[in-house]
Amino acid sequence: DVGCGIGGSSRHIARTFGCDAEGITLSPVQARRANELSSQVSQFRGARTTTFESPQTRSPRDEKMTRDPRLTFRVADALAQPFPNDQFDLVWSMESGEHMPDKKKFIGELTRVCVPGGKILIATWCHRDLRSGEHSLPESEQFLLDRICDAYYLPKWCSVSDYERIVNDDDRLTDLKTADWSKEVAPFWRAVIGVALTKRGVLGLLRAGPATVRGGLVMPLMQKGLRDGTIKFNLITATKRA
């Protein structure tokens, strides 16, 4: 789980597939909280004992799990991961790709630690694909993205087509698939803004400090970008060649 936050997607996948998971984040606070939440093993009682198979390897992960899933989280750099090659059956990144300054290196690391025959999955915010005849986004759309980048400390945005080019140029990867989930996630920002505007939400923002307040103030820009089609939420998956 690359860019794991407090480990929510790891716990979900562990419950669903009865598998072990490891997560990395740059934040010691997130890693500590993820381990605290995941140590409450009662959450995982009754997890389905489904085999998550790797075509080329056999390990305890490949057997039906009769114990509680093991989840561990640590501080590490997604662009220089502390794992050996060919380590994980599934390598995923949820809403972290937009934080990566070097997308090619990011995908390279996901691929390196994935077992042959395993899957990589990225769910990330992108800008829309350029239209025929466009060499860049219009100034108004770029201005909106720049304001979001400034508030959330993001590097330059890219499109799903940029990800496709990187994957297609990597000889280790095949079976590329993408999807646009923008419509499905559109209610998220309405809900976040609604919570932020409650008394409790406003007080929480103020207690968190100026940087969080600044981030809160640009949430409507994310909503506008989604509504206007400038911002997309994309899924990218690929298989590492066996």
Side-chain angles (χ1 to χ4, degrees):
D1 184 355
V2 180
C4 61
I6 60 172
S9 60
S10 290
R11 289 188 292 277
H12 172 74
I13 289 177
R15 281 194 296 265
T16 302
F17 294 105
C19 62
D20 297 335
E22 296 195 43
I24 59 173
T25 172
L26 287 177
S27 168
V29 175
Q30 288 182 344
R32 182 170 62 251
R33 184 57 177 155
N35 281 313
E36 289 170 352
L37 291 171
S38 300
S39 68
Q40 300 166 11
V41 295
S42 60
Q43 297 178 62
F44 306 108
R45 298 289 181 188
R48 283 170 22 200
T49 54
T50 303
T51 303
F52 199 92
E53 294 185 354
S54 168
Q56 297 297 316
T57 61
R58 298 296 297 174
S59 73
R61 292 195 305 272
D62 300 321
E63 303 299 330
K64 288 187 176 181
M65 193 162 292
T66 57
R67 57 176 170 75
D68 293 307
R70 183 176 64 250
L71 295 102
T72 56
F73 303 89
R74 69 176 84 176
V75 175
D77 185 353
L79 302 184
Q81 297 181 32
F83 305 114
N85 298 344
D86 307 334
Q87 179 79 357
F88 301 104
D89 303 299
L90 171 68
V91 184
W92 79 95
S93 175
M94 182 75 69
E95 290 190 286
S96 295
E98 61 272 15
H99 293 274
M100 305 299 165
D102 187 334
K103 302 297 192 287
K104 182 177 180 179
K105 190 171 183 180
F106 170 53
I107 292 177
E109 275 293 273
L110 300 184
T111 305
R112 180 184 67 78
V113 301
C114 185
V115 300
K119 298 282 188 179
I120 67 169
L121 183 154
I122 303 167
T124 186
W125 297 98
C126 298
H127 68 64
R128 65 168 175 82
D129 285 335
L130 297 180
R131 303 185 182 105
S132 178
E134 286 185 327
H135 300 289
S136 61
L137 293 172
E139 186 176 335
S140 59
E141 291 183 86
Q142 189 60 55
F143 179 70
L144 180 141
L145 296 179
D146 289 344
R147 289 185 63 189
I148 294 171
C149 286
D150 183 60
Y152 292 139
Y153 306 100
L154 299 176
K156 184 179 179 180
W157 290 62
C158 72
S159 69
V160 70
S161 291
D162 295 320
Y163 276 105
E164 288 174 333
R165 281 190 287 273
I166 294 171
V167 172
N168 285 327
D169 286 344
D170 193 322
D171 293 337
R172 297 170 297 174
L173 295 174
T174 187
D175 194 27
L176 169 66
K177 295 182 176 68
T178 63
D180 183 354
W181 285 358
S182 304
K183 184 180 296 184
E184 286 76 9
V185 302
F188 167 77
W189 287 104
R190 290 197 298 271
V192 170
I193 292 170
V195 171
L197 292 178
T198 64
K199 180 179 179 181
R200 182 178 180 182
V202 171
L203 290 175
L205 286 172
L206 293 175
R207 282 197 298 268
T212 303
V213 171
R214 184 174 62 172
L217 292 175
V218 301
M219 287 191 296
L221 297 183
M222 288 292 298
Q223 189 177 27
K224 172 178 168 51
L226 269 174
R227 184 176 61 247
D228 295 346
T230 300
I231 294 173
K232 299 289 186 179
F233 190 72
N234 291 112
L235 174 72
I236 303 104
T237 69
T239 301
K240 185 172 179 178
R241 295 183 190 274

